[in-house]
Protein backbone atom coordinates (compact mmCIF):
# COMPACT_ATOMS: atom_id res chain seq x y z
CA UNK A 1 0.00 0.00 0.00
CA UNK A 2 1.48 3.33 -1.05
CA UNK A 3 2.28 5.81 1.67
CA UNK A 4 -0.01 8.86 1.71
CA UNK A 5 1.36 11.87 -0.04
CA UNK A 6 2.29 14.51 2.57
CA UNK A 7 0.28 17.69 2.36
CA UNK A 8 2.58 20.49 1.25
CA UNK A 9 3.04 23.26 3.78
CA UNK A 10 1.66 26.52 2.38
CA UNK A 11 4.28 29.26 2.08
CA UNK A 12 4.19 31.83 4.85
CA UNK A 13 2.61 35.12 3.76
CA UNK A 14 5.05 37.81 2.80
CA UNK A 15 5.40 40.65 5.30
CA UNK A 16 4.33 44.04 4.01
CA UNK A 17 7.03 46.68 4.21
CA UNK A 18 5.75 50.22 4.88
CA UNK A 19 2.23 48.92 5.56
CA UNK A 20 -0.49 50.79 7.40
CA UNK A 21 0.11 51.30 11.11
CA UNK A 22 -2.30 50.64 13.93
CA UNK A 23 -4.50 53.60 14.87
CA UNK A 24 -2.88 54.24 18.31
CA UNK A 25 0.59 54.14 16.76
CA UNK A 26 -0.50 56.48 13.97
CA UNK A 27 -2.00 58.95 16.46
CA UNK A 28 1.14 58.93 18.61
CA UNK A 29 3.33 59.39 15.56
CA UNK A 30 1.22 62.30 14.31
CA UNK A 31 1.44 64.05 17.69
CA UNK A 32 5.20 63.50 17.99
CA UNK A 33 6.02 64.61 14.46
CA UNK A 34 3.83 67.71 14.75
CA UNK A 35 6.03 68.90 17.62
CA UNK A 36 9.21 67.93 15.77
CA UNK A 37 8.07 69.79 12.66
CA UNK A 38 7.47 73.02 14.59
CA UNK A 39 10.79 72.50 16.37
CA UNK A 40 12.47 71.86 13.04
CA UNK A 41 11.28 75.19 11.66
CA UNK A 42 12.60 76.93 14.81
CA UNK A 43 15.85 74.99 14.37
CA UNK A 44 16.11 76.18 10.77
CA UNK A 45 15.56 79.79 11.88
CA UNK A 46 18.22 79.39 14.62
CA UNK A 47 20.75 77.99 12.13
CA UNK A 48 20.16 80.86 9.71
CA UNK A 49 20.41 83.37 12.59
CA UNK A 50 23.72 81.79 13.68
CA UNK A 51 25.14 82.08 10.16
CA UNK A 52 24.06 85.71 9.82
CA UNK A 53 25.39 86.60 13.28
CA UNK A 54 28.73 84.85 12.76
CA UNK A 55 29.26 86.35 9.30
CA UNK A 56 28.21 89.93 10.09
CA UNK A 57 29.18 90.46 13.74
CA UNK A 58 31.70 87.66 14.14
CA UNK A 59 33.54 89.15 17.10
CA UNK A 60 30.39 89.43 19.24
CA UNK A 61 29.36 85.90 18.26
CA UNK A 62 32.73 84.57 19.40
CA UNK A 63 32.61 86.61 22.61
CA UNK A 64 29.18 85.31 23.60
CA UNK A 65 29.96 81.72 22.59
CA UNK A 66 33.17 81.67 24.64
CA UNK A 67 31.73 83.41 27.70
CA UNK A 68 32.23 81.12 30.71
CA UNK A 69 29.94 80.69 33.71
CA UNK A 70 29.06 78.00 36.24
CA UNK A 71 30.49 76.62 39.51
CA UNK A 72 34.20 76.03 38.96
CA UNK A 73 34.49 73.99 42.19
CA UNK A 74 32.17 71.39 40.63
CA UNK A 75 34.11 71.34 37.36
CA UNK A 76 31.23 73.04 35.57
CA UNK A 77 32.72 76.44 34.68
CA UNK A 78 31.82 76.11 30.99
CA UNK A 79 31.44 78.34 27.97
CA UNK A 80 27.99 79.17 26.59
CA UNK A 81 28.65 76.94 23.58
CA UNK A 82 29.81 74.15 25.90
CA UNK A 83 26.68 74.42 28.05
CA UNK A 84 24.57 74.22 24.89
CA UNK A 85 26.40 71.15 23.55
CA UNK A 86 26.74 69.20 26.80
CA UNK A 87 23.81 70.53 28.80
CA UNK A 88 20.94 71.34 26.48
CA UNK A 89 21.60 68.38 24.20
CA UNK A 90 21.19 66.10 27.22
CA UNK A 91 17.48 67.07 27.04
CA UNK A 92 17.44 66.12 23.36
CA UNK A 93 19.06 62.76 24.11
CA UNK A 94 16.68 62.18 27.03
CA UNK A 95 13.77 62.44 24.59
CA UNK A 96 15.67 60.16 22.21
CA UNK A 97 16.06 57.62 25.03
CA UNK A 98 12.34 57.66 25.85
CA UNK A 99 11.52 57.41 22.15
CA UNK A 100 13.84 54.44 21.73
CA UNK A 101 12.34 52.69 24.78
CA UNK A 102 8.81 53.22 23.46
CA UNK A 103 9.76 51.91 20.04
CA UNK A 104 11.32 48.80 21.61
CA UNK A 105 8.38 47.91 23.84
CA UNK A 106 5.33 49.33 22.05
CA UNK A 107 6.33 50.66 18.65
CA UNK A 108 7.85 49.54 15.37
CA UNK A 109 10.85 47.82 16.99
CA UNK A 110 8.93 45.55 19.40
CA UNK A 111 8.60 42.78 16.78
CA UNK A 112 12.08 41.53 15.79
CA UNK A 113 10.88 40.55 12.31
CA UNK A 114 9.28 43.94 11.68
CA UNK A 115 12.26 45.72 13.25
CA UNK A 116 14.79 43.97 11.02
CA UNK A 117 14.12 46.21 8.01
CA UNK A 118 14.47 49.67 9.62
CA UNK A 119 17.38 48.50 11.79
CA UNK A 120 19.28 47.12 8.80
CA UNK A 121 18.45 50.26 6.81
CA UNK A 122 19.65 52.52 9.63
CA UNK A 123 22.86 50.53 10.16
CA UNK A 124 23.66 50.61 6.45
CA UNK A 125 22.77 54.31 6.50
CA UNK A 126 25.48 54.83 9.11
CA UNK A 127 28.09 52.37 7.82
CA UNK A 128 28.15 53.51 4.17
CA UNK A 129 28.69 57.24 4.98
CA UNK A 130 31.53 56.25 7.33
CA UNK A 131 33.07 54.14 4.54
CA UNK A 132 32.64 56.95 2.00
CA UNK A 133 34.31 59.45 4.34
CA UNK A 134 37.17 57.05 5.10
CA UNK A 135 37.79 56.28 1.42
CA UNK A 136 37.84 59.97 0.48
CA UNK A 137 40.21 60.91 3.29
CA UNK A 138 42.55 57.94 2.74
CA UNK A 139 42.75 58.62 -1.00
CA UNK A 140 43.24 62.33 -0.31
CA UNK A 141 45.77 61.80 2.52
CA UNK A 142 43.45 63.47 5.04
CA UNK A 143 42.49 62.71 8.63
CA UNK A 144 40.10 59.81 9.23
CA UNK A 145 39.13 61.20 12.66
CA UNK A 146 35.82 62.54 11.36
CA UNK A 147 34.49 59.23 10.03
CA UNK A 148 31.45 59.45 12.35
CA UNK A 149 30.42 62.99 11.36
CA UNK A 150 28.23 62.04 8.34
CA UNK A 151 26.59 59.05 10.05
CA UNK A 152 23.80 60.94 11.88
CA UNK A 153 20.35 62.00 10.64
CA UNK A 154 18.54 65.04 12.04
CA UNK A 155 14.83 64.18 12.15
CA UNK A 156 13.75 67.70 13.17
CA UNK A 157 15.61 69.35 10.30
CA UNK A 158 14.27 66.73 7.87
CA UNK A 159 10.71 67.45 8.98
CA UNK A 160 11.36 71.18 8.67
CA UNK A 161 12.32 70.60 5.04
CA UNK A 162 9.04 68.73 4.51
CA UNK A 163 7.15 71.64 6.08
CA UNK A 164 8.95 74.22 3.94
CA UNK A 165 8.38 72.40 0.64
CA UNK A 166 4.78 71.60 1.61
CA UNK A 167 4.96 67.82 1.34
CA UNK A 168 2.90 65.61 3.64
CA UNK A 169 4.30 62.10 3.65
CA UNK A 170 1.95 59.13 4.17
CA UNK A 171 2.11 57.81 7.74
CA UNK A 172 4.05 54.68 6.71
CA UNK A 173 6.90 56.75 5.25
CA UNK A 174 6.87 59.12 8.23
CA UNK A 175 7.06 56.14 10.60
CA UNK A 176 9.96 54.70 8.59
CA UNK A 177 11.81 58.02 8.76
CA UNK A 178 11.21 58.33 12.51
CA UNK A 179 12.33 54.74 13.17
CA UNK A 180 15.47 55.33 11.11
CA UNK A 181 16.20 58.41 13.22
CA UNK A 182 15.60 56.52 16.50
CA UNK A 183 18.01 53.72 15.59
CA UNK A 184 20.40 56.32 14.19
CA UNK A 185 20.34 58.20 17.51
CA UNK A 186 21.01 54.98 19.44
CA UNK A 187 24.14 54.16 17.49
CA UNK A 188 25.27 57.79 17.47
CA UNK A 189 25.10 57.65 21.27
CA UNK A 190 27.18 54.47 21.29
CA UNK A 191 29.72 56.05 18.93
CA UNK A 192 30.06 59.08 21.21
CA UNK A 193 30.41 56.90 24.32
CA UNK A 194 32.90 54.42 22.82
CA UNK A 195 35.03 56.46 20.43
CA UNK A 196 35.06 59.91 22.00
CA UNK A 197 35.83 59.05 25.60
CA UNK A 198 39.52 59.34 26.49
CA UNK A 199 40.16 59.80 30.23
CA UNK A 200 37.66 58.39 32.70
CA UNK A 201 37.21 59.61 36.27
CA UNK A 202 35.94 56.40 37.87
CA UNK A 203 34.87 58.10 41.11
CA UNK A 204 32.55 60.46 39.23
CA UNK A 205 31.39 57.62 36.96
CA UNK A 206 30.48 55.42 39.94
CA UNK A 207 28.63 58.40 41.44
CA UNK A 208 26.68 58.80 38.19
CA UNK A 209 25.76 55.11 38.22
CA UNK A 210 24.60 55.38 41.84
CA UNK A 211 22.46 58.38 40.87
CA UNK A 212 20.98 56.41 37.95
CA UNK A 213 20.21 53.50 40.30
CA UNK A 214 18.35 55.90 42.64
CA UNK A 215 16.52 57.38 39.63
CA UNK A 216 15.46 53.87 38.55
CA UNK A 217 14.36 52.91 42.07
CA UNK A 218 12.23 56.04 42.45
CA UNK A 219 10.52 55.29 39.14
CA UNK A 220 9.75 51.72 40.20
CA UNK A 221 8.35 52.97 43.52
CA UNK A 222 6.04 55.28 41.51
CA UNK A 223 7.43 58.37 43.21
CA UNK A 224 6.08 61.45 41.45
CA UNK A 225 7.06 65.10 41.35
CA UNK A 226 9.40 67.05 39.08
CA UNK A 227 11.01 68.56 42.19
CA UNK A 228 12.43 65.09 42.96
CA UNK A 229 13.61 64.08 39.50
CA UNK A 230 14.94 67.37 38.10
CA UNK A 231 17.52 67.96 40.90
CA UNK A 232 18.53 64.28 40.77
CA UNK A 233 18.89 64.48 36.98
CA UNK A 234 21.13 67.55 37.30
CA UNK A 235 23.37 65.71 39.80
CA UNK A 236 23.59 62.67 37.49
CA UNK A 237 24.38 64.92 34.54
CA UNK A 238 27.13 66.77 36.46
CA UNK A 239 28.74 63.52 37.62
CA UNK A 240 28.58 62.06 34.11
CA UNK A 241 30.19 65.20 32.69
CA UNK A 242 33.04 65.04 35.22
CA UNK A 243 33.53 61.32 34.57
CA UNK A 244 34.90 62.07 31.09
CA UNK A 245 32.03 60.35 29.29
CA UNK A 246 29.97 62.76 27.23
CA UNK A 247 27.27 64.16 29.49
CA UNK A 248 24.46 63.54 26.98
CA UNK A 249 24.78 59.82 27.79
CA UNK A 250 23.15 60.60 31.14
CA UNK A 251 20.06 61.89 29.32
CA UNK A 252 19.77 58.73 27.24
CA UNK A 253 20.20 56.47 30.28
CA UNK A 254 17.43 58.23 32.21
CA UNK A 255 15.13 58.19 29.19
CA UNK A 256 15.55 54.43 28.76
CA UNK A 257 14.48 53.85 32.37
CA UNK A 258 10.97 55.24 31.98
CA UNK A 259 8.11 52.78 31.64
CA UNK A 260 6.59 53.04 28.17
CA UNK A 261 3.93 50.32 28.36
CA UNK A 262 0.37 51.19 29.31
CA UNK A 263 -1.40 49.60 32.24
CA UNK A 264 -5.14 49.17 32.67
CA UNK A 265 -6.88 52.50 32.90
CA UNK A 266 -3.94 54.48 31.49
CA UNK A 267 -4.39 56.61 28.40
CA UNK A 268 -0.63 57.11 28.25
CA UNK A 269 2.32 55.41 29.87
CA UNK A 270 4.60 57.49 32.13
CA UNK A 271 7.20 57.57 29.35
CA UNK A 272 4.68 58.88 26.84
CA UNK A 273 3.45 61.55 29.28
CA UNK A 274 6.96 62.75 30.07
CA UNK A 275 7.96 62.71 26.42
CA UNK A 276 4.84 64.74 25.57
CA UNK A 277 5.91 67.35 28.14
CA UNK A 278 9.65 67.42 27.40
CA UNK A 279 9.62 67.11 23.61
CA UNK A 280 8.49 70.75 23.04
CA UNK A 281 11.28 71.92 25.37
CA UNK A 282 13.79 69.83 23.44
CA UNK A 283 12.57 70.67 19.93
CA UNK A 284 11.63 74.29 20.55
CA UNK A 285 14.39 75.44 22.90
CA UNK A 286 17.29 73.07 23.62
CA UNK A 287 18.17 72.01 20.07
CA UNK A 288 17.66 75.47 18.45
CA UNK A 289 19.84 77.09 21.13
CA UNK A 290 22.53 74.47 20.49
CA UNK A 291 22.26 75.27 16.78
CA UNK A 292 22.59 78.99 17.47
CA UNK A 293 25.97 78.48 19.14
CA UNK A 294 27.18 75.65 16.96
CA UNK A 295 26.14 76.54 13.41
CA UNK A 296 27.79 79.96 13.38
CA UNK A 297 30.59 79.26 10.91
CA UNK A 298 32.34 81.58 8.52
CA UNK A 299 31.02 81.07 5.00
CA UNK A 300 33.42 83.20 2.99
CA UNK A 301 33.86 82.27 -0.66
CA UNK A 302 37.17 80.55 0.05
CA UNK A 303 35.73 78.54 2.93
CA UNK A 304 32.84 77.22 0.84
CA UNK A 305 35.10 76.41 -2.10
CA UNK A 306 37.50 74.67 0.27
CA UNK A 307 34.79 72.21 1.28
CA UNK A 308 35.18 70.50 -2.10
CA UNK A 309 38.99 70.51 -2.12
CA UNK A 310 39.88 69.31 1.38
CA UNK A 311 39.46 65.53 1.84
CA UNK A 312 37.92 65.76 5.32
CA UNK A 313 35.21 68.22 4.32
CA UNK A 314 34.58 66.56 0.95
CA UNK A 315 34.24 63.25 2.78
CA UNK A 316 31.53 64.73 5.03
CA UNK A 317 29.55 66.15 2.10
CA UNK A 318 29.74 62.95 0.06
CA UNK A 319 29.02 60.87 3.16
CA UNK A 320 25.79 62.79 3.83
CA UNK A 321 24.57 63.17 0.26
CA UNK A 322 25.75 59.91 -1.34
CA UNK A 323 26.54 57.62 1.59
CA UNK A 324 23.25 58.12 3.43
CA UNK A 325 21.11 57.70 0.32
CA UNK A 326 22.93 54.64 -1.00
CA UNK A 327 23.24 53.08 2.45
CA UNK A 328 19.59 53.40 3.49
CA UNK A 329 18.12 52.58 0.08
CA UNK A 330 20.54 49.71 -0.58
CA UNK A 331 20.15 48.29 2.93
CA UNK A 332 16.37 48.44 2.68
CA UNK A 333 16.27 46.80 -0.75
CA UNK A 334 18.59 43.98 0.32
CA UNK A 335 16.71 43.43 3.58
CA UNK A 336 13.38 43.06 1.78
CA UNK A 337 14.91 40.41 -0.47
CA UNK A 338 16.35 38.35 2.40
CA UNK A 339 13.30 38.67 4.68
CA UNK A 340 10.74 38.02 1.93
CA UNK A 341 9.14 41.36 2.66
CA UNK A 342 6.94 43.00 0.06
CA UNK A 343 6.75 46.74 -0.50
CA UNK A 344 3.35 48.30 0.18
CA UNK A 345 1.54 48.29 -3.18
CA UNK A 346 0.45 51.91 -2.65
CA UNK A 347 4.10 53.03 -2.64
CA UNK A 348 7.10 52.63 -4.93
CA UNK A 349 10.84 52.19 -4.47
CA UNK A 350 11.21 55.78 -5.66
CA UNK A 351 9.54 56.80 -2.37
CA UNK A 352 12.10 54.84 -0.35
CA UNK A 353 14.90 56.49 -2.33
CA UNK A 354 13.45 59.95 -1.65
CA UNK A 355 13.22 59.28 2.11
CA UNK A 356 16.77 57.89 2.04
CA UNK A 357 18.02 61.11 0.46
CA UNK A 358 16.05 63.13 3.07
CA UNK A 359 17.94 61.22 5.80
CA UNK A 360 21.14 62.81 4.44
CA UNK A 361 20.25 65.91 6.45
CA UNK A 362 22.63 65.49 9.37
CA UNK A 363 22.68 68.59 11.51
CA UNK A 364 22.52 68.44 15.32
CA UNK A 365 24.43 65.23 16.09
CA UNK A 366 26.78 65.70 13.11
CA UNK A 367 27.80 69.12 14.41
CA UNK A 368 28.29 67.65 17.88
CA UNK A 369 30.46 64.79 16.62
CA UNK A 370 32.43 67.24 14.48
CA UNK A 371 33.33 69.18 17.63
CA UNK A 372 34.36 65.97 19.39
CA UNK A 373 36.34 64.48 16.50
CA UNK A 374 38.73 67.39 15.93
CA UNK A 375 40.66 69.75 18.21
CA UNK A 376 41.87 72.38 15.73
CA UNK A 377 39.44 75.32 15.70
CA UNK A 378 39.87 76.00 11.97
CA UNK A 379 39.23 72.34 11.13
CA UNK A 380 36.13 72.27 13.34
CA UNK A 381 34.83 75.37 11.54
CA UNK A 382 35.43 73.76 8.14
CA UNK A 383 33.80 70.49 9.22
CA UNK A 384 30.75 72.42 10.40
CA UNK A 385 30.60 74.23 7.07
CA UNK A 386 30.70 70.88 5.27
CA UNK A 387 27.86 69.53 7.47
CA UNK A 388 25.75 72.58 6.64
CA UNK A 389 26.52 72.38 2.93
CA UNK A 390 26.01 68.61 2.74
CA UNK A 391 22.70 68.90 4.58
CA UNK A 392 21.61 71.70 2.25
CA UNK A 393 22.40 69.62 -0.83
CA UNK A 394 20.55 66.63 0.66
CA UNK A 395 17.57 68.87 1.46
CA UNK A 396 17.39 70.24 -2.09
CA UNK A 397 17.81 66.79 -3.66
CA UNK A 398 15.17 65.18 -1.46
CA UNK A 399 12.86 68.17 -1.95
CA UNK A 400 12.97 67.69 -5.72
CA UNK A 401 12.41 63.93 -5.45
CA UNK A 402 9.51 64.32 -3.03
CA UNK A 403 7.87 67.04 -5.12
CA UNK A 404 7.77 64.63 -8.07
CA UNK A 405 5.49 62.37 -6.00
CA UNK A 406 3.57 65.04 -4.10
CA UNK A 407 0.21 64.32 -5.77
CA UNK A 408 0.47 60.65 -4.85
CA UNK A 409 1.37 61.53 -1.25
CA UNK A 410 -1.57 63.92 -0.95
CA UNK A 411 -3.98 61.29 -2.28
CA UNK A 412 -2.69 58.69 0.20
CA UNK A 413 -2.76 61.17 3.10
CA UNK A 414 -6.32 62.27 2.25
CA UNK A 415 -7.41 58.62 2.13
CA UNK A 416 -5.79 57.98 5.52
CA UNK A 417 -7.58 60.95 7.09
CA UNK A 418 -11.03 60.55 5.46
CA UNK A 419 -13.75 60.26 8.12
CA UNK A 420 -16.96 60.27 6.07
CA UNK A 421 -19.15 58.93 8.88
CA UNK A 422 -17.73 61.57 11.29
CA UNK A 423 -17.01 59.00 13.99
CA UNK A 424 -13.64 60.51 14.89
CA UNK A 425 -11.84 57.47 13.47
CA UNK A 426 -10.51 57.43 9.87
CA UNK A 427 -12.61 55.19 7.64
CA UNK A 428 -9.67 52.96 6.65
CA UNK A 429 -9.50 51.73 10.26
CA UNK A 430 -13.24 50.84 10.41
CA UNK A 431 -13.60 48.50 7.45
CA UNK A 432 -14.05 45.47 9.75
CA UNK A 433 -16.59 47.24 11.99
CA UNK A 434 -20.26 46.41 11.13
CA UNK A 435 -21.44 49.60 12.84
CA UNK A 436 -19.35 51.68 10.43
CA UNK A 437 -21.07 50.12 7.41
CA UNK A 438 -24.49 50.64 8.99
CA UNK A 439 -23.66 54.32 9.56
CA UNK A 440 -22.49 54.65 5.95
CA UNK A 441 -25.66 52.92 4.71
CA UNK A 442 -27.80 55.42 6.62
CA UNK A 443 -25.76 58.32 5.19
CA UNK A 444 -26.17 57.03 1.62
CA UNK A 445 -29.90 56.34 2.12
CA UNK A 446 -30.36 59.89 3.32
CA UNK A 447 -28.50 61.21 0.27
CA UNK A 448 -30.55 58.94 -2.02
CA UNK A 449 -33.80 60.23 -0.51
CA UNK A 450 -32.68 63.81 -1.06
CA UNK A 451 -31.78 63.08 -4.70
CA UNK A 452 -35.19 61.44 -5.26
CA UNK A 453 -36.87 64.57 -3.87
CA UNK A 454 -34.76 66.80 -6.14
CA UNK A 455 -35.60 64.56 -9.11
CA UNK A 456 -39.33 64.98 -8.44
CA UNK A 457 -38.94 68.75 -8.23
CA UNK A 458 -36.94 68.80 -11.46
CA UNK A 459 -39.58 66.64 -13.18
CA UNK A 460 -42.40 68.85 -12.00
CA UNK A 461 -40.57 71.95 -13.25
CA UNK A 462 -39.98 70.41 -16.68
CA UNK A 463 -43.71 69.66 -17.13
CA UNK A 464 -44.76 73.31 -16.76
CA UNK A 465 -46.04 74.93 -20.00
CA UNK A 466 -43.52 77.76 -19.95
CA UNK A 467 -40.54 75.50 -19.17
CA UNK A 468 -37.70 75.56 -21.74
CA UNK A 469 -37.71 72.81 -24.35
Amino acid sequence: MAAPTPTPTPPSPRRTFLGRQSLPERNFLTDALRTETVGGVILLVAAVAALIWANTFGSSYTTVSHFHFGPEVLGLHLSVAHWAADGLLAIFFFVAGVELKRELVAGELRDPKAAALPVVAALCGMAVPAVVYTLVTVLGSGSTSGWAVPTATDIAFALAVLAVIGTSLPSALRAFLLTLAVVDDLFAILIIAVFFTENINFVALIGAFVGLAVFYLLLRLNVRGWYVYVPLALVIWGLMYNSGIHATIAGVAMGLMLRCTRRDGEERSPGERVEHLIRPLSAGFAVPLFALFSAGVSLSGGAVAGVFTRPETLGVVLGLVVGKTVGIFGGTWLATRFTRAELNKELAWADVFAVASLAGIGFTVSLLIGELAFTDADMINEIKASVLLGSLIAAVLSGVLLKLRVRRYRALTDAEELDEDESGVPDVYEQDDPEYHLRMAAIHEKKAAEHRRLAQLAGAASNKPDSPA
Side-chain angles (χ1 to χ4, degrees):
M1 184 175 178
T5 304
T7 304
T9 304
S12 57
R14 299 186 71 179
R15 181 181 296 276
T16 301
F17 171 52
L18 296 179
R20 184 178 296 122
Q21 300 172 290
S22 66
L23 184 58
E25 185 69 15
R26 178 185 179 275
N27 291 340
F28 179 86
L29 177 75
T30 301
D31 184 51
L33 293 187
R34 185 183 297 113
T35 304
E36 289 289 354
T37 301
V38 174
V41 174
I42 298 173
L43 175 63
L44 185 59
V45 171
V48 172
L51 290 172
I52 294 173
W53 187 5
N55 286 276
T56 53
F57 304 100
S59 58
S60 66
Y61 181 83
T62 303
T63 300
V64 174
S65 297
H66 293 171
F67 177 77
H68 282 65
F69 67 97
E72 192 165 358
V73 68
L74 298 178
L76 297 175
H77 189 66
L78 311 176
S79 68
V80 171
H82 209 162
W83 276 111
D86 287 78
L88 292 178
L89 279 196
I91 301 173
F92 165 79
F93 278 106
F94 172 80
V95 173
V98 178
E99 200 170 65
L100 175 62
K101 177 71 172 289
R102 202 200 70 84
E103 287 289 321
L104 288 170
V105 300
E108 294 292 311
L109 301 179
R110 70 185 183 280
D111 179 2
K113 291 182 179 178
L117 275 166
V119 169
V120 169
L123 287 176
C124 291
M126 298 186 79
V128 175
V131 170
V132 169
Y133 176 91
T134 304
L135 286 175
V136 172
T137 52
V138 168
L139 293 174
S141 300
S143 171
T144 58
S145 300
W147 62 271
V149 174
T151 61
T153 294
D154 194 305
I155 182 68
F157 225 127
L159 293 171
V161 170
L162 292 178
V164 169
I165 65 176
T167 298
S168 179
L169 289 181
S171 60
L173 286 175
R174 286 182 290 158
F176 180 58
L177 180 62
L178 180 61
T179 306
L180 282 176
V182 169
V183 178
D184 194 290
D185 286 341
L186 169 64
F187 285 97
I189 292 158
L190 293 175
I191 287 172
I192 291 171
V194 173
F195 295 99
F196 297 104
T197 299
E198 297 178 356
N199 301 316
I200 298 179
N201 181 334
F202 286 100
V203 174
L205 184 60
I206 291 171
F209 281 137
V210 171
L212 288 171
V214 173
F215 189 88
Y216 179 82
L217 182 62
L218 292 174
L219 289 173
R220 292 302 167 266
L221 293 175
N222 292 320
V223 175
R224 297 191 176 187
W226 64 268
Y227 47 84
V228 175
Y229 291 102
V230 171
L232 179 58
L234 291 173
V235 171
I236 294 170
W237 175 85
L239 289 168
M240 189 68 76
Y241 175 83
N242 282 286
S243 73
I245 296 176
H246 202 269
T248 53
I249 304 300
V252 179
M254 286 183 280
L256 287 170
M257 290 181 183
L258 269 66
R259 175 170 62 83
C260 292
T261 52
R262 300 176 188 178
R263 293 175 180 169
D264 293 340
E266 287 185 338
E267 280 191 22
R268 289 179 174 177
S269 66
E272 289 173 325
R273 287 198 304 271
V274 172
E275 182 183 5
H276 182 74
L277 291 171
I278 302 299
R279 186 184 287 275
L281 176 64
S282 169
F285 176 73
V287 175
L289 201 57
F290 164 77
L292 182 63
F293 292 106
S294 188
V297 298
S298 175
L299 294 179
S300 62
V304 174
V307 167
F308 297 100
T309 57
R310 189 158 187 162
E312 294 88 350
T313 50
L314 180 60
V316 169
V317 173
L318 292 179
L320 289 171
V321 178
V322 179
K324 273 288 184 182
T325 305
V326 172
I328 292 174
F329 180 80
T332 305
W333 189 86
L334 289 173
T336 56
R337 294 298 175 266
F338 284 106
T339 59
R340 288 181 52 78
E342 184 177 39
L343 183 65
N344 184 349
K345 290 181 173 58
E346 294 180 334
L347 299 171
W349 282 106
D351 302 315
V352 180
F353 188 86
V355 170
S357 65
L358 184 65
I361 300 173
F363 187 74
T364 306
V365 179
S366 290
L367 291 175
L368 175 62
I369 294 177
E371 292 180 354
L372 298 173
F374 297 95
T375 56
D376 181 69
D378 291 336
M379 175 60 81
I380 291 174
N381 192 69
E382 292 176 9
I383 289 294
K384 287 182 177 182
S386 65
V387 170
L388 295 174
L389 190 57
S391 298
L392 177 61
I393 295 172
V396 172
L397 174 62
S398 60
V400 172
L401 294 174
L402 292 168
K403 272 296 185 182
L404 294 175
R405 297 277 291 170
V406 69
R407 290 185 179 178
R408 180 60 177 164
Y409 297 154
R410 284 175 181 166
L412 292 174
T413 302
D414 290 344
E416 287 178 354
E417 296 176 353
L418 180 66
D419 183 17
E420 198 172 356
D421 65 335
E422 299 182 349
S423 65
V425 177
D427 294 345
V428 293
Y429 291 98
E430 295 187 299
Q431 297 305 307
D432 296 328
D433 181 5
E435 294 297 323
Y436 161 76
H437 294 287
L438 291 174
R439 289 194 297 271
M440 289 304 301
I443 290 172
H444 288 300
E445 286 167 2
K446 185 177 180 180
K447 289 182 178 179
E450 177 65 15
H451 281 292
R452 281 192 291 269
R453 186 185 69 82
L454 293 174
Q456 291 175 353
L457 292 175
S462 64
N463 291 329
K464 290 180 180 180
D466 56 347
S467 61

